[in-house]
């Protein structure tokens, strides 16, 4: 598990793994308290030497911070340690008698023990600017009360809530998006202006205070509309979870935080956010991705049809040269169809080229081997490449493997080995055979060679060279500079 504590503190603090995990969960969700009360929260852990060191800090999202500087790693002033020690030893929230002056504002401090399994393990200070207006906005008493309940739950070991659905996703509601307070029965006793707007857009008319939220929402959902099975318990505030409700094309994301006081239910706080535009954009992207996959699928089908027609025509050809030309064209079309087939199964226009090339390598060797037995081997890894690179690279390598079998081995038994070495955006590929090798001063003028050279230099922005192997055979070396998008996808 990642360690929350700064590296300088890890050897100076005695905290069990379970306690560290509890602190991780608290820090993952304490932004809620900071935003509700427009306060800075600082987590303090006690070292073996008895000093308190700041191990975490969060600022309110919608207001001015008390600490402009980073406080993590700093020692608590000695004048404040007595209050922190009292909070830690008694497991009780302690309020500072007097505000302290930061140089620009008076700050009221509250010391909150972090209790896990009945044992206090750390202290959180809630530091709030004195005055009605904080951070440029008026803090409503109802939101302050929710923050105070959460602080009391922290001191009693009930917050963070075990098993709560706090996983962050695109559209997760925050305090600024909308807040509701429910009583024990699920009636709304407070709703922020943004929360009111969210449910009005969903279709709930009139005043919201005093109504049963779950009843009001379910009454406007059309019959036979699929809903999340957790919707009712979330809207009643009985389950700490995150759900969504959709009515008439309006999507609301709702998160429930059940509140307790001294072990008894005290209603719940709900965060709500209108995610209609977020979900609309996601749907547009899904439709686009589906369209792209369908295009690749249809292109693959069309190419396979062309390949079949070329194969039929080759069988009917009476001229051997014509038959060979048609067979080569059919093989090239099939290679391109293989890449489109791979692209039709993903949404990001990138493919794992190792999977694509393994089938191309076997196919190229089999098609090009009229006699003799040829074995093929792939060493190394190409990694993930983008669609354009995959098309060009597949065609180049299929041509080189075919050429190695047809001309390098020339009907004899042999071996073709392809090695790939990937270093971020640089790719080096060797296609080696153990055939007769190149005769001195051989001119590489065939159609396949021209196709390979054009694609390597043009599409792949690389270089290619033919070199003799010691002991016989040929080594074709390709150096390719991949696009930055492909390199990032591989990383």
């Amino acid at each position: 598990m990642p360690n929350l504590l700064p590296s300088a503190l890890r050897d100076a603090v005695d905290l069990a793994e379970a306690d560290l995990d509890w602190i991780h969960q608290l820090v993952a969700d304490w932004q809620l308290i900071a935003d509700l009360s427009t306060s800075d929260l600082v987590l303090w852990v006690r070292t073996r030497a008895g000093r308190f060191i700041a191990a975490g800090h969060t600022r309110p999202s919608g207001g001015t911070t008390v600490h402009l500087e980073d406080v993590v790693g700093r020692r608590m002033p000695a004048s404040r340690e007595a209050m922190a020690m009292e909070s830690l030893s008694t497991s009780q929230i302690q309020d500072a008698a007097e505000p302290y002056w930061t140089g620009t504002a008076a700050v009221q401090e509250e010391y909150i023990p972090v209790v896990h399994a009945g044992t206090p393990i750390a202290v959180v200070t809630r530091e709030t600017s004195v005055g009605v207006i904080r951070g440029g906005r008026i803090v409503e008493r109802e939101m302050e009360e929710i923050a105070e309940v959460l602080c009391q739950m922290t001191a009693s070991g009930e917050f963070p809530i075990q098993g709560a659905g706090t996983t962050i996703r695109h559209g997760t509601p925050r305090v600024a998006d909308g807040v509701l307070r429910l009583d024990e029965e699920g009636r709304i006793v407070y709703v922020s202006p943004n929360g009111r707007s969210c449910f009005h857009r969903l279709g709930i008319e009139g005043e919201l205070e005093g109504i049963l939220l779950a009843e009001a929402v379910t009454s406007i959902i059309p019959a036979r509309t699929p809903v999340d099975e957790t919707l009712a318990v979330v809207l009643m505030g009985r389950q700490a979870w995150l759900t969504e409700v959709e009515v008439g094309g309006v999507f609301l994301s709702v998160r429930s935080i059940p509140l307790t006081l001294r072990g008894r239910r005290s209603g719940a706080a709900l965060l709500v956010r209108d995610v209609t535009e977020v979900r609309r954009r996601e749907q547009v992207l899904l439709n686009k991705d589906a369209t792209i996959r369908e295009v690749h699928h249809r292109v693959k089908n069309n190419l396979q049809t062309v390949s079949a027609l070329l194969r039929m025509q080759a069988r009917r050809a009476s001229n051997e040269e014509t038959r060979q030309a048609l067979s080569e064209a059919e093989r090239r079309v099939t290679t391109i169809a293989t890449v489109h087939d791979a692209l039709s199964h993903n949404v990001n226009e990138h493919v794992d080229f190792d999977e694509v090339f393994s089938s191309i390598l076997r196919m190229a060797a089999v098609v090009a081997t009229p006699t003799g037995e040829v074995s093929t081997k792939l060493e190394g890894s190409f990694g993930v490449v983008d669609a354009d690179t995959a098309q060009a690279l597949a065609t180049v390598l299929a041509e080189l493997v075919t050429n190695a079998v047809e001309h390098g081995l020339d009907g004899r038994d042999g071996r073709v080995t392809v090695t790939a070495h990937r270093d971020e955006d640089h790719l080096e590929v060797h296609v080696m055979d153990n055939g007769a090798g190149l005769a001195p001063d051989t001119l590489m003028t065939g159609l396949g060679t021209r196709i390979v050279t054009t694609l390597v230099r043009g599409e792949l922005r690389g270089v290619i060279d033919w070199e003799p192997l010691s002991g016989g055979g040929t080594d074709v070396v390709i150096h390719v500079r991949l696009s930055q998008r492909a390199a990032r996808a591989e990383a």
Side-chain angles (χ1 to χ4, degrees):
M1 180 186 70
N3 200 326
L4 166 75
L5 303 179
S7 56
L9 276 179
R10 292 172 191 171
D11 295 330
V13 175
D14 285 324
L15 284 173
E17 281 295 317
D19 294 336
L20 283 172
D21 183 53
W22 187 261
I23 291 175
H24 270 277
Q25 293 179 56
L26 173 65
V27 169
D29 213 18
W30 67 348
Q31 189 67 49
L32 177 63
I33 301 174
D35 291 344
L36 283 167
S37 58
T38 317
S39 306
D40 283 56
L41 301 183
V42 182
L43 173 71
W44 303 91
V45 293
R46 195 162 183 247
T47 65
R48 295 190 186 96
R51 299 300 304 270
F52 285 93
I53 306 293
H57 177 212
T58 188
R59 299 179 175 91
S61 301
T64 304
T65 180
V66 170
H67 297 286
L68 297 176
E69 72 287 352
D70 184 20
V71 300
V72 174
R74 294 189 179 184
R75 288 183 177 180
M76 179 182 286
S79 59
R80 297 161 59 193
E81 285 194 327
M83 188 73 73
M85 192 62 212
E86 184 177 355
S87 176
L88 193 65
S89 60
T90 63
S91 298
Q92 298 293 322
I93 297 175
Q94 303 293 331
D95 291 312
E98 297 290 339
Y100 73 88
W101 181 253
T102 64
T104 57
V107 177
Q108 183 67 43
E109 265 192 321
E110 186 178 42
Y111 295 79
I112 306 158
V114 179
V115 175
H116 175 231
T119 303
I121 58 175
V123 172
V124 170
T125 55
R126 183 162 64 127
E127 305 178 27
T128 311
S129 296
V130 176
V132 178
I133 298 180
R134 301 176 192 160
R137 72 175 176 87
I138 297 177
V139 178
E140 298 188 54
R141 183 59 198 164
E142 291 84 355
M143 295 176 69
E144 179 79 33
E145 287 177 353
I146 297 173
E148 289 175 358
V149 173
L150 292 173
C151 289
Q152 293 175 32
M153 292 172 62
T154 303
S156 62
E158 298 171 292
F159 186 82
I161 300 172
Q162 289 289 84
T166 58
T167 302
I168 301 300
R169 61 168 294 194
H170 197 36
T172 298
R174 302 154 300 185
V175 170
D177 299 317
V179 179
L180 290 83
R181 174 78 185 268
L182 306 182
D183 64 13
E184 292 84 349
E185 296 179 352
R187 295 184 185 275
I188 299 175
V189 295
Y190 165 76
V191 56
S192 69
N194 284 346
R196 189 185 308 275
S197 297
C198 286
F199 282 102
H200 281 175
R201 283 192 286 270
L202 190 68
I204 299 178
E205 300 177 351
E207 289 298 321
L208 297 181
E209 284 85 351
I211 69 170
L212 286 168
L213 180 61
E215 183 179 295
V217 171
T218 54
S219 68
I220 63 173
I221 297 177
R224 294 184 295 278
T225 299
V227 297
D228 191 331
E229 60 183 11
T230 63
L231 179 63
V233 290
V234 168
L235 293 178
M236 294 175 66
R238 295 183 179 273
Q239 177 67 44
W241 204 251
L242 180 69
T243 188
E244 280 191 12
V245 57
E246 183 265 331
V247 177
V250 177
F251 290 82
L252 295 188
S253 177
V254 184
R255 181 190 170 193
S256 172
I257 306 103
L259 303 177
T260 57
L261 281 175
R262 293 176 291 277
R264 299 182 59 184
R265 288 189 65 248
S266 182
L270 265 59
L271 303 183
V272 58
R273 181 179 180 182
D274 185 345
V275 292
T276 303
E277 184 61 20
V278 174
R279 299 295 174 254
R280 186 193 68 80
R281 292 178 181 178
E282 289 178 350
Q283 189 60 48
V284 168
L285 289 175
L286 287 174
N287 291 342
K288 175 188 173 185
D289 293 338
T291 301
I292 291 173
R293 290 198 301 271
E294 178 64 18
V295 167
H296 284 303
H297 179 71
R298 294 195 179 199
V299 169
K300 183 259 298 185
N301 289 343
N302 290 338
L303 289 173
Q304 287 179 336
T305 301
V306 172
S307 176
L309 291 173
L310 289 170
R311 186 164 55 251
M312 292 172 59
Q313 194 65 37
R315 290 172 181 170
R316 290 188 172 189
S318 57
N319 183 283
E320 181 61 30
E321 184 177 350
T322 301
R323 186 182 298 111
Q324 183 177 353
L326 289 172
S327 297
E328 290 179 357
E330 186 255 329
R331 173 179 51 78
R332 289 165 184 149
V333 170
T334 302
T335 298
I336 298 173
T338 302
V339 177
H340 278 285
D341 184 42
L343 289 169
S344 70
H345 292 91
N346 65 66
V347 299
N348 59 4
E349 287 292 281
H350 288 79
V351 295
D352 184 345
F353 196 76
D354 295 318
E355 296 181 2
V356 174
F357 183 64
S358 59
S359 62
I360 292 176
L361 179 60
R362 292 191 300 270
M363 178 180 64
V366 169
V367 171
T369 312
T371 60
E373 183 175 338
V374 176
S375 63
T376 59
K377 184 179 181 181
L378 172 61
E379 298 178 349
S381 175
F382 292 92
V384 176
V385 300
D386 62 75
D388 293 337
T389 300
Q391 291 280 21
L393 193 59
T395 303
V396 166
L397 294 177
E399 289 291 334
L400 292 177
V401 171
T402 303
N403 189 68
V405 174
E406 289 182 345
H407 303 292
L409 300 177
D410 195 20
R412 295 173 295 179
D413 294 349
R415 182 179 67 255
V416 176
T417 303
V418 179
T419 66
H421 176 69
R422 175 79 173 267
D423 184 10
E424 294 184 354
D425 64 342
H426 179 259
L427 178 64
E428 180 180 336
V429 184
H430 293 256
V431 180
M432 299 172 287
D433 65 73
N434 62 346
L438 289 172
D441 303 322
T442 300
L443 295 178
M444 312 297 291
T445 58
L447 176 60
T449 302
R450 292 201 302 273
I451 290 174
V452 166
T453 303
T454 300
L455 289 175
V456 170
R457 293 176 179 173
E459 297 292 327
L460 300 176
R461 298 170 299 153
V463 293
I464 185 171
D465 193 19
W466 283 260
E467 300 175 354
L469 285 172
S470 59
T474 305
D475 180 11
V476 185
V477 186
I478 304 172
H479 292 273
V480 175
R481 182 68 63 181
L482 300 175
S483 69
Q484 292 298 321
R485 286 197 315 160
R488 286 195 295 270
E490 173 67 9

